[in-house]
Amino acid sequence: MTKKQRSLPIARRDVSKQRRETFLAQLRDHGVVIWAAAAASPHSADRKHSASSFYSLRRQSPEFAQEWADALTIANDKLIIEAR
């Protein structure tokens, strides 16, 4: 018996430069992808689906994937500083 592959949601919209920058700024601030996607997608009622656009962009763009990783590093550093 084979396992069913989980299909990823398809991004509904292209990610504009403004949405991308808002997403990355929020991700640097707190490191929570769903919250960052919601902040960058104020007209979306579903947080999970708003994140799908950014996950799709990350898969397609090595540059954005690196910016995402850098943003998470900054958020993690902030948490470490706060903990100390």
Side-chain angles (χ1 to χ4, degrees):
M1 196 174 268
T2 62
K3 290 183 180 180
K4 282 188 176 181
Q5 287 186 334
R6 186 176 141 215
S7 63
L8 295 173
I10 297 171
R12 294 182 182 181
R13 289 191 264 173
D14 290 333
V15 178
S16 68
K17 184 176 179 178
Q18 181 181 2
R19 285 183 68 212
R20 181 177 170 160
E21 291 304 317
T22 300
F23 173 82
L24 291 169
Q26 289 289 310
L27 201 57
R28 284 189 294 270
D29 189 44
H30 50 66
V32 181
V33 173
I34 291 177
W35 294 354
S41 309
H43 301 294
S44 177
D46 185 355
R47 287 184 177 184
K48 188 174 184 179
H49 284 94
S50 63
S52 69
S53 297
F54 297 100
Y55 281 113
S56 178
L57 179 59
R58 184 178 71 170
R59 285 191 304 274
Q60 295 169 6
S61 169
E63 177 187 335
F64 183 66
Q66 185 59 53
E67 290 173 326
W68 183 313
D70 293 345
L72 288 177
T73 298
I74 291 168
N76 288 336
D77 289 347
K78 287 179 178 183
L79 287 173
I80 290 168
I81 291 168
E82 184 67 29
R84 289 184 181 187

